[in-house]
């Protein structure tokens, strides 16, 4: 089958006025603004695929994500018990503003002196974020006078506005103000003890590909990266964006930013560093806790996401690690940046896109039984997926090991830890498709 693909200008140079509705297409890597405006009015044949779920914002808009996680945690406590519900305690205490302002004030007064962070629910790249410790600062925000707190980055003319579902929109900011008179924020307890490397704060970007919500079928990419700040961490200067915000869009404006060096580590290097400092068992525990974040967050929206057979989604998860090696979910991105800041970053993202297309499988080459395709490992298939063949042993008595290998490419771990892995992505893809071709040649 010849596949006609349309990929938006975020990846290749396509005019902004172009719409696939005007021509024949089978696959569209669309912007979420196109999805909102056109999805319900577009006929799609059985084989057509599109890169977002209709109401993806249930997970990717900050206030909705927290709302769904809180609801899911209560559901687990009611149906399974507090022990299982405690597995959802991976996001900081959060309040939606202004609708939960009074609840926030009550919590604020219980813990005077701690640091809070304010984030607009539907913006990206660190825009609109500020830290505070005084109730006066949040009152200024309520009155609309908190603009003085925002960074100089905010004062620059915006190239595009952001629509309510968190995507870039080409309409003018004046139009946006007319549509959204009051911008919603979340007030979130700031993680004051982040794990530091070289005295600098960082967070992790991890990629999760969801092919279906009913049943839930999710893949975890082996590669990702840590994004570092350029300035050493301190709580003495909460107004300094270069200390507290790890977004590349923010850090590359820092006077100390080095374009060739960038501000990223690949996950393999990060995992090696942690293993050398804390040992393989602590690292396995950390990455297992991250697996739990991916699965529980997807389960929290499983019943509310419209699971259309034409849709898939590549999510960019942002994870913060604290000094106790506890991972915290900061947010989930519906349109993770595919812009490369270095050659290493370029290679990661081109392989990520290629492997995403392999899993989406427009050519119908896969059997549906694969547990690995290139850099993707099948993490959840209507239940946990084991690295071993056969039915998983969930009794707690067996040796069930989740089929995830995050950050384990190109690294040989200690013998017997189950952590050694070699970068054999291309070899695996050759073997996979050669095997599939051989199967098709065998007469039924």
């Amino acid at each position: 089958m010849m596949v006609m693909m349309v990929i938006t200008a975020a990846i290749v140079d396509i005019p902004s006025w172009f719409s696939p509705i005007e021509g024949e297409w089978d696959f569209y890597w669309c912007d979420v603004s196109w999805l909102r405006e056109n999805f319900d009015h577009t006929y799609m044949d059985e084989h057509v695929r599109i890169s977002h779920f209709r109401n993806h914002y249930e997970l990717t808009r900050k206030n909705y994500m927290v709302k769904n996680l809180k609801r899911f945690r209560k559901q687990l406590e009611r149906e399974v018990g507090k022990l299982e519900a405690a597995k959802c305690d991976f996001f900081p205490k959060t309040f939606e503003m202004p609708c939960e302002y009074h609840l926030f004030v009550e919590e604020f007064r219980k813990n005077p002196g701690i640091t809070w962070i304010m984030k607009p629910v539907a913006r990206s790249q660190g825009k609109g974020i500020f830290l505070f410790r005084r109730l006066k600062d949040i009152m200024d925000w309520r009155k609309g006078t908190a603009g003085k707190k925002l960074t100089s980055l905010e004062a620059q003319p915006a190239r595009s506005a952001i629509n309510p579902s968190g995507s870039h929109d080409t309409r003018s900011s004046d139009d946006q103000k007319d549509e959204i008179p009051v911008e919603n924020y979340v007030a979130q307890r700031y993680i004051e003890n982040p794990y530091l490397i070289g005295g600098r704060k960082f967070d992790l970007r991890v990629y999760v590909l969801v092919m279906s919500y009913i049943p839930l079928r999710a893949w975890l990419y082996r590669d990702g990266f840590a994004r570092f700040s350029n300035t050493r961490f301190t709580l003495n200067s909460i107004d300094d964006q270069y200390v507290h915000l790890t977004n590349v869009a923010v850090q590359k404006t820092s006077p100390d930013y080095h374009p060739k060096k960038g501000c990223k580590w690949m996950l393999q290097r990060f995992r090696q560093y942690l293993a050398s400092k804390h040992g393989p068992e602590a690292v396995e525990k950390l990455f297992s806790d991250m697996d739990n974040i991916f699965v529980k967050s997807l389960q929290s929206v499983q019943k509310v996401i419209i699971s259309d057979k034409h849709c898939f989604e590549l999510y960019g998860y942002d994870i913060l690690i604290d000094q106790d090696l506890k991972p915290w979910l900061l947010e989930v991105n519906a349109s993770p940046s595919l812009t490369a800041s270095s050659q290493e970053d370029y290679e990661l993202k081109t392989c990520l896109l290629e492997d995403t297309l392999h899993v989406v499988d427009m050519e119908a080459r896969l059997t549906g039984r694969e547990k690995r395709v290139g850099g993707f490992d099948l993490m959840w298939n209507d239940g946990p997926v084991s690295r071993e063949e056969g039915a998983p042993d969930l009794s707690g008595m067996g040796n069930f090991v989740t089929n995830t290998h995050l950050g384990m490419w190109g690294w040989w771990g200690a013998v017997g830890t189950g952590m050694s892995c070699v970068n054999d992505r291309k070899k695996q893809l050759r073997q996979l498709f050669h095997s599939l071709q051989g199967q098709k040649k065998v007469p039924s």
Side-chain angles (χ1 to χ4, degrees):
M1 176 180 68
M2 179 179 291
V3 178
M4 299 184 66
M5 309 179 77
V6 178
I7 300 181
T8 57
I11 305 172
V12 295
D13 188 17
I14 293 176
S16 59
W17 47 260
F18 181 84
S19 171
I21 296 176
E22 299 168 4
E24 184 180 353
W25 57 280
D26 303 298
F27 175 98
Y28 187 22
W29 192 288
C30 71
D31 187 88
V32 292
S33 61
W34 180 94
L35 187 84
R36 184 184 69 252
E37 295 166 6
N38 298 288
F39 186 89
D40 291 336
H41 315 292
T42 304
Y43 171 77
M44 299 182 193
D45 288 329
E46 181 78 16
H47 68 280
V48 167
R49 294 293 179 268
I50 193 165
S51 62
H52 294 289
F53 288 95
R54 180 66 183 84
N55 57 337
H56 64 88
Y57 46 79
E58 292 286 350
L59 182 61
T60 59
R61 184 164 163 158
K62 299 178 186 69
N63 54 337
Y64 292 170
M65 179 190 81
V66 171
K67 175 199 70 175
N68 284 310
L69 283 169
K70 287 180 178 178
R71 175 188 48 75
F72 185 61
R73 183 169 57 190
K74 289 180 181 178
Q75 176 188 335
L76 287 177
E77 183 172 346
R78 184 173 61 252
E79 297 177 356
V80 187
K82 291 184 178 180
L83 194 61
E84 188 66 22
K87 294 180 181 179
C88 287
D89 292 336
F90 49 70
F91 58 99
K93 188 175 288 292
T94 304
F95 298 89
E96 183 175 354
M97 309 292 276
C99 66
E100 294 183 333
Y101 173 75
H102 295 293
L103 291 173
F104 163 75
V105 170
E106 184 179 335
E107 180 67 26
F108 183 92
R109 287 173 174 160
K110 287 180 184 176
N111 300 279
I114 68 170
T115 308
W116 292 81
I117 185 169
M118 283 282 285
K119 302 176 183 179
V121 300
R123 285 201 260 175
S124 59
Q125 298 183 331
K127 295 176 182 176
I129 295 177
F130 63 94
L131 278 65
F132 66 97
R133 295 196 185 106
R134 302 178 305 168
L135 200 56
K136 179 182 181 299
D137 295 328
I138 200 74
M139 293 175 72
D140 288 344
W141 171 83
R142 280 193 84 199
K143 297 172 184 176
T145 59
K148 295 177 182 178
K149 294 275 300 174
L150 303 185
T151 67
S152 58
L153 185 70
E154 288 299 293
Q156 300 172 5
R159 295 180 61 185
S160 62
I162 307 294
N163 71 45
S165 58
S167 69
H168 293 277
D169 197 330
T170 54
R171 293 173 294 178
S172 71
S173 58
D174 289 337
D175 292 339
Q176 285 294 97
K177 288 177 182 176
D178 289 339
E179 293 181 17
I180 313 172
V182 178
E183 185 174 11
N184 288 347
Y185 268 63
V186 290
Q188 196 169 71
R189 185 162 179 169
Y190 187 64
I191 306 298
E192 296 184 316
N193 63 331
Y195 192 96
L196 305 177
I197 297 179
R200 290 168 172 79
K201 180 183 174 182
F202 65 92
D203 66 5
L204 306 180
R205 167 57 60 86
V206 181
Y207 299 100
V208 174
L209 176 63
V210 177
M211 295 303 299
S212 166
Y213 272 98
I214 302 175
L216 182 59
R217 184 174 174 86
W219 300 74
L220 179 65
Y221 204 61
R222 296 185 175 193
D223 254 333
F225 51 84
R227 306 179 297 185
F228 284 83
S229 65
N230 278 281
T231 307
R232 294 178 69 86
F233 182 80
T234 175
L235 286 172
N236 296 328
S237 55
I238 62 172
D239 293 336
D240 190 339
Q241 60 177 342
Y242 301 126
V243 172
H244 301 285
L245 304 185
T246 60
N247 309 72
V248 175
V250 171
Q251 292 299 325
K252 69 182 182 182
T253 67
S254 167
D256 301 326
Y257 182 74
H258 196 297
K260 291 187 177 179
K261 293 182 180 179
C263 53
K264 294 179 180 178
W265 269 14
M266 293 299 106
L267 272 181
Q268 302 94 302
R269 184 180 181 187
F270 170 70
R271 187 160 186 160
Q272 279 182 305
Y273 176 87
L274 286 185
S276 67
K277 296 279 288 186
H278 303 283
E281 290 184 2
V283 173
E284 278 287 275
K285 174 65 167 58
L286 167 62
F287 279 73
S288 175
D289 289 344
M290 289 168 60
D291 290 343
N292 173 69
I293 289 178
F294 306 139
V295 171
K296 289 290 190 292
S297 61
L298 295 175
Q299 289 177 328
S300 76
V301 297
Q302 186 177 6
K303 294 182 179 179
V304 295
I305 292 285
I306 302 170
S307 187
D308 193 292
K309 63 184 178 183
H310 298 101
C311 303
F312 68 94
E313 190 105 34
L314 179 65
Y315 294 108
Y317 275 72
D318 290 344
I319 306 288
L320 180 74
I321 313 297
D322 70 17
Q323 290 177 354
D324 300 320
L325 294 185
K326 174 181 172 64
W328 296 88
L329 176 60
L330 300 182
E331 63 180 282
V332 183
N333 296 272
S335 300
S337 172
L338 297 171
T339 303
S341 57
S342 66
Q343 180 60 31
E344 197 172 31
D345 199 26
Y346 174 82
E347 292 172 0
L348 183 159
K349 288 173 178 175
T350 52
C351 291
L352 170 69
L353 280 172
E354 182 181 348
D355 291 346
T356 298
L357 296 179
H358 285 317
V359 175
V360 174
D361 191 28
M362 292 297 295
E363 300 85 0
R365 295 180 293 177
L366 302 180
T367 66
R369 297 187 297 273
E370 293 79 12
K371 294 202 295 186
R372 180 187 173 192
V373 177
F376 278 108
D377 295 297
L378 186 59
M379 172 175 58
W380 194 269
N381 188 19
D382 203 20
V385 180
S386 171
R387 289 185 195 175
E388 303 299 325
E389 296 298 328
D393 178 2
L394 303 179
S395 65
M397 304 298 290
N399 296 317
F400 180 86
V401 180
T402 305
N403 184 45
T404 56
H405 303 80
L406 185 60
M408 292 173 64
W409 268 3
W411 171 39
W412 291 97
V415 175
T417 64
M419 299 171 66
S420 53
C421 189
V422 66
N423 187 350
D424 61 344
R425 170 184 169 274
K426 291 183 179 179
K427 179 181 177 182
Q428 192 272 341
L429 286 172
R430 285 196 301 268
Q431 290 177 340
L432 172 64
F433 291 116
H434 178 75
S435 164
L436 292 172
Q437 287 174 354
Q439 291 178 27
K440 289 181 179 180
K441 291 178 181 179
V442 177
S444 56

